[in-house]
Amino acid sequence: MLTKKELKELKLKSNSVRINIIKMISESKSGHPAGSLGIVDILITLYSKLIKHNPKKPNWNKRDRFILSPGHVCPALYATLAEEGYFKKEELITLRKLGSKLQGHPHKEDLQGIELSTASLGQGLGAAVGIALGLKLNKSKNYVYCISSDGEHDEGSVWEAVNAANKYKLNNLINIIDVNNIQICGYTKDVWPLESFKAKYESFNWKVIKINGNNHCQIVSAIEKAKKLNYPVCIVAYTVPGKGVSFMEHKYQWHGKAPNQEEKESALQELEKERELIIK
């Protein structure tokens, strides 16, 4: 469980990351704000409290592995890695610019801390299964964490990976589904309805935990529980797309649209007010 001090620290970090996401995407005039803002609390909680990693030794062989399958929400991952000390925050503003390490989708060879280059949706969980199997064969006790998206589950490749994790009894794999209910062209329930994730994953012999993906305490509790289970675990994390910016929240139109200057200023004002409330 988190102490009040730890919870406050996580909330402040999440707020800082959200501020940087707005600045990054606005500066680049391109990007995916809704999903990026929505997964921040998951990323910050993982990297600050749960994942074994070392920013000074990114390839440390005892590290856990983290895979961001929906690569388009990489602004959240970049800002989290900067928050954790992998590189200077000043670099964040170079998102999507020519020659930048911070490409529009994460590229493993360009940036320390990236385990897998991701762009094509539906591929990340399969790679995570392969990595988890490799670690298991090597008798490693490290975990593989994957964030996948609800929309990605439209792809048959995801379900092949789910079945493979069951076949190989990958109790070192935790898949966190970011259920934000939006896709580029609409709401997931209208595009390709997939609920219940719980029933579907359980039919493949996974253990499933449902949480509020914007609640730091629930995220910690779920991961701690997952590590005690001798099965692959799916955490169904319901998040608010556009979290923290009222005019973006729950709106699929912000899946892949950068805010203009006026929208940027409005978003930053909201986030700064939130920061003041956290500090109080």
Side-chain angles (χ1 to χ4, degrees):
M1 293 299 294
L2 297 170
T3 65
K4 287 184 178 181
K5 181 181 179 182
E6 288 173 326
L7 181 57
K8 184 175 182 177
E9 288 173 352
L10 289 176
K11 286 182 176 180
L12 285 171
K13 279 188 174 184
S14 290
N15 177 266
S16 176
V17 167
R18 287 191 169 98
I19 287 171
N20 281 324
I21 287 170
I22 293 297
K23 290 179 178 178
M24 294 160 66
I25 295 177
S26 177
E27 174 68 21
S28 70
K29 296 180 173 57
S30 177
H32 299 79
S36 297
L37 292 167
I39 66 165
V40 168
D41 301 308
I42 297 172
L43 287 170
I44 282 295
T45 307
L46 287 176
Y47 275 91
S48 295
K49 295 295 179 185
L50 299 165
I51 292 179
K52 286 194 296 184
H53 68 107
N54 187 341
K56 294 182 179 179
K57 295 180 180 179
N59 297 317
W60 176 44
N61 62 5
K62 292 185 179 181
R63 74 192 184 281
D64 292 326
R65 272 54 166 192
F66 173 77
I67 305 299
L68 180 67
S69 187
H72 57 279
V73 295
C74 59
L77 179 57
Y78 295 156
T80 297
L81 291 176
E83 193 73 29
E84 293 298 311
Y86 279 84
F87 58 92
K88 293 180 180 179
K89 291 183 182 181
E90 287 76 15
E91 288 188 54
L92 291 172
I93 208 69
T94 69
L95 175 71
R96 290 180 172 239
K97 292 185 178 178
L98 187 64
S100 172
K101 297 176 184 177
L102 311 183
Q103 295 193 27
H105 290 76
H107 187 227
K108 184 179 186 297
E109 302 304 316
D110 279 348
L111 191 65
Q112 296 281 11
I114 302 296
E115 296 285 353
L116 180 74
S117 301
T118 52
S120 297
L121 294 174
Q123 305 302 310
L125 184 59
V129 165
I131 295 168
L133 179 57
L135 290 172
K136 198 172 182 69
L137 290 171
N138 286 334
K139 302 188 185 311
S140 168
K141 294 183 179 180
N142 301 99
Y143 280 86
V144 178
Y145 298 85
C146 178
I147 289 184
S148 60
S149 65
D150 49 359
E152 278 186 290
H153 285 71
D154 296 357
E155 302 282 354
S157 56
V158 173
W159 298 105
E160 292 179 24
V162 172
N163 198 27
N166 171 42
K167 171 180 169 57
Y168 294 109
K169 313 250 183 290
L170 299 180
N171 58 349
N172 58 342
L173 174 64
I174 300 173
N175 179 33
I176 305 170
I177 307 178
D178 171 28
V179 184
N180 66 13
N181 298 306
I182 66 166
Q183 294 178 239
I184 192 168
C185 54
Y187 297 103
T188 54
K189 64 181 177 64
D190 300 320
V191 176
W192 199 258
L194 283 164
E195 291 278 18
S196 152
F197 287 116
K198 185 176 188 294
K200 287 181 170 65
Y201 269 79
E202 285 179 341
S203 73
F204 285 94
N205 208 31
W206 284 55
K207 296 298 182 183
V208 179
I209 304 167
K210 296 171 75 171
I211 64 168
N212 174 349
N214 296 120
N215 184 302
H216 300 284
C217 293
Q218 288 189 28
I219 296 164
V220 170
S221 178
I223 296 295
E224 289 176 346
K225 181 178 179 180
K227 289 183 175 181
K228 295 175 183 177
L229 300 171
N230 196 30
Y231 291 84
V233 176
C234 173
I235 297 174
V236 181
Y238 295 94
T239 64
V240 175
K243 176 72 174 174
V245 179
S246 60
F247 61 86
M248 291 185 182
E249 290 187 350
H250 299 290
K251 293 183 173 63
Y252 75 84
Q253 292 86 351
W254 286 100
H255 172 90
K257 182 176 75 169
N260 59 31
Q261 186 63 28
E262 183 181 347
E263 291 163 338
K264 170 192 171 183
E265 291 173 2
S266 177
L268 291 177
Q269 283 178 4
E270 281 195 54
L271 291 168
E272 289 292 352
K273 285 180 181 177
E274 180 190 17
R275 187 170 192 83
E276 292 172 6
L277 291 173
I278 297 169
I279 292 172
K280 287 180 181 179

